[in-house]
Amino acid sequence: MRFAILTGGGDVPGLNPCIQTVVHRVCDAGHTIVGVRRGWGGLLHLNPDDPASVEANLLPLDRDVVRAIDRSGGTFLHTSRTNPARVKAKDTPSFLATQRRGDDPQDFTSHVLRVLESQGIQLLVTIGGDDTLSYSLRLHEEGIPVVAIPKTMDNDVYGTDYCIGFSTAVTRSVDALDNLRSTAGSHERIAVIELFGRYSGETALVTGYLASADRVVIPEVPFDDVILAELAASDKRRNPSGYAMIVISEGAKLAGGEMVVRGVADAYGHRKLGGIGEITGELIKKHTGLDVLTQTLSYIMRSGPPDTLDRMVARIYGEMASELALAGVSGEMVALRNGVYVHVPISVTGEGKRHVAVDKLYDPAAYRPRIRGVEGLPMFLD
């Protein structure tokens, strides 16, 4: 059989060990595997009638090719946020331009199916978050065998307690908060640190809890800037070193406000987030007259090699996905549930949204973690 593997959406640490594991298993079983460059973008831009296009978008993989990739972060196959079911005119490959009908986003899934057939690809292993997995489900429904692996530093894919990249993102963020204390303390400032987290505040909550931040603001609970400013000023006064630390998710909202977004929507309807940390810092300074330090960690959270937990989960997810693929299973996603490795239908990812359990894990009046009743919850609390 000929397999293919791809990574879609944002990069996270752990993708390369996962890819390496799948390649080892498939090759050891006597099959061949190719890597699709730039996620779904590789299949969209591959022209089956052009050998140079095939070479540019598909990379034959074996043990030698992936020998050392597990030592680095990101994805050596590259990635994109392409959605073949909604391709804008400006993103349409030139060889498909004649197939367009108007300027509205167009579904080129028929082209993707043609590519897979022409290249003899019999099963896809896809690694991604909600968006990548939603198109994985589409291909499964079109009759293409697909096995999926969840990844996202927000850890918000529904149907699994853990996604590749989450542990490393928290580790990076905790380290950054520990380091920023020296600057915040030296200048006796209130520090506002913005982390990734569009709809789920789990990354901010766990980071703030582990790093002993004074306050944590999450998307699940809109916040009052006056109250937050008063709390931060009080935290600063009580600290012998004269500073305070606030962690805030990029998707956090002021009471009565909306998420801070910019730019145009991507192929999945998402606009870029970022800026609520700066806005919050300015409001705290306005309300208190105190000096404020703001820092957006952004891509630093997902840069560099994975920590040991992400290496382990990535490899085991790769082993499980390979076993499913080699057994001819399709439409399933590997997952962790209640500390146990399982697999579930990819369709489960669309059945709900993962959010912080505010009643058990958060004090919305004090804007800080309040960990209660955790018996029976997964290791990373959801």
Side-chain angles (χ1 to χ4, degrees):
M1 292 183 66
R2 194 181 200 209
F3 294 73
I5 186 168
L6 62 81
T7 54
D11 66 288
V12 297
L15 294 175
N16 286 334
C18 188
I19 294 167
Q20 184 188 64
T21 301
V22 172
V23 172
H24 285 180
R25 285 295 301 273
V26 170
C27 291
D28 289 351
H31 303 288
T32 60
I33 183 168
V34 294
V36 179
R37 298 182 188 273
R38 296 175 294 281
W40 299 123
L43 297 181
L44 176 66
H45 288 269
L46 191 153
N47 182 355
D49 302 320
D50 180 359
S53 176
V54 174
E55 182 178 358
N57 290 287
L58 294 184
L59 175 66
L61 301 175
D62 58 25
R63 278 184 168 269
D64 291 337
V65 174
V66 301
R67 183 183 61 83
I69 65 171
D70 59 315
R71 304 169 195 173
S72 59
T75 166
F76 96 114
L77 290 175
H78 307 296
T79 187
S80 71
R81 298 189 183 277
T82 304
N83 180 0
R86 287 184 55 82
V87 181
K88 298 178 181 179
K90 69 179 183 64
D91 299 322
T92 303
S94 58
F95 66 90
L96 291 177
T98 58
Q99 298 182 28
R100 287 203 62 88
R101 298 293 180 270
D103 294 329
D104 292 336
Q106 186 161 329
D107 188 348
F108 279 108
T109 298
S110 60
H111 169 71
V112 171
L113 297 176
R114 177 180 172 231
V115 167
L116 294 173
E117 181 180 10
S118 70
Q119 301 308 306
I121 295 171
Q122 296 161 282
L123 189 141
L124 273 172
V125 176
T126 61
I127 313 173
D130 283 333
D131 297 333
T132 300
L133 298 179
S134 68
Y135 195 71
S136 300
L137 178 61
R138 167 69 184 276
L139 289 185
H140 165 69
E141 293 171 341
E142 293 282 353
I144 302 299
V146 179
V147 175
I149 299 173
K151 71 87 201 162
T152 168
M153 77 184 78
D154 292 351
N155 205 37
D156 62 352
V157 171
Y158 195 77
T160 181
D161 297 335
Y162 192 82
C163 301
I164 297 172
F166 178 68
S167 177
T168 309
V170 170
T171 299
R172 297 273 190 278
S173 300
V174 169
D175 287 346
L177 259 70
D178 288 345
N179 292 334
L180 282 168
R181 286 181 183 276
S182 62
T183 294
S186 296
H187 294 272
E188 299 177 280
R189 293 177 178 174
I190 295 172
V192 179
I193 300 94
E194 180 182 316
L195 305 184
F196 278 138
R198 181 178 292 267
Y199 301 116
S200 171
E202 187 173 3
T203 304
L205 182 86
V206 175
T207 295
Y209 180 61
L210 297 181
S212 298
D214 295 293
R215 308 291 162 176
V216 178
V217 184
I218 59 177
E220 289 84 349
V221 179
F223 69 100
D224 185 304
D225 54 295
V226 175
I227 294 175
L228 180 64
E230 291 172 349
L231 291 170
S234 175
D235 296 332
K236 182 180 183 299
R237 285 194 300 270
R238 291 199 304 270
N239 186 339
S241 296
Y243 72 94
M245 303 289 285
I246 299 173
V247 173
I248 187 167
S249 294
E250 63 177 354
K253 302 177 289 290
L254 286 159
E258 301 292 334
M259 287 191 299
V260 179
V261 297
R262 65 185 188 281
V264 298
D266 64 17
Y268 293 93
H270 304 309
R271 296 173 65 190
K272 286 187 177 296
L273 283 139
I276 188 62
E278 189 75 29
I279 291 171
T280 301
E282 290 297 325
L283 288 171
I284 291 174
K285 185 175 182 178
K286 172 185 173 183
H287 296 318
T288 66
L290 299 171
D291 286 336
V292 178
L293 175 161
T294 60
Q295 180 67 58
T296 301
L297 294 190
S298 187
Y299 299 104
I300 293 174
M301 296 172 61
R302 67 188 194 201
S303 299
D307 66 12
T308 53
L309 180 59
D310 268 325
R311 289 175 194 259
M312 181 177 72
V313 175
R315 287 197 180 280
I316 295 177
Y317 275 179
E319 298 280 6
M320 292 178 62
S322 300
E323 290 176 4
L324 293 172
L326 291 167
V329 174
S330 177
E332 293 288 297
M333 178 185 76
V334 300
L336 263 168
R337 284 189 167 185
N338 299 319
V340 177
Y341 288 100
V342 298
H343 59 89
V344 299
I346 300 175
S347 57
V348 167
T349 61
E351 293 179 1
K353 298 291 184 183
R354 279 174 55 91
H355 295 292
V356 169
V358 173
D359 58 333
K360 288 186 176 182
L361 306 176
Y362 191 70
D363 183 344
Y367 303 124
R368 60 173 36 148
R370 182 182 58 189
I371 310 303
R372 302 287 186 273
V374 296
E375 183 176 351
L377 290 182
M379 178 172 66
F380 277 109
L381 309 177
D382 61 7

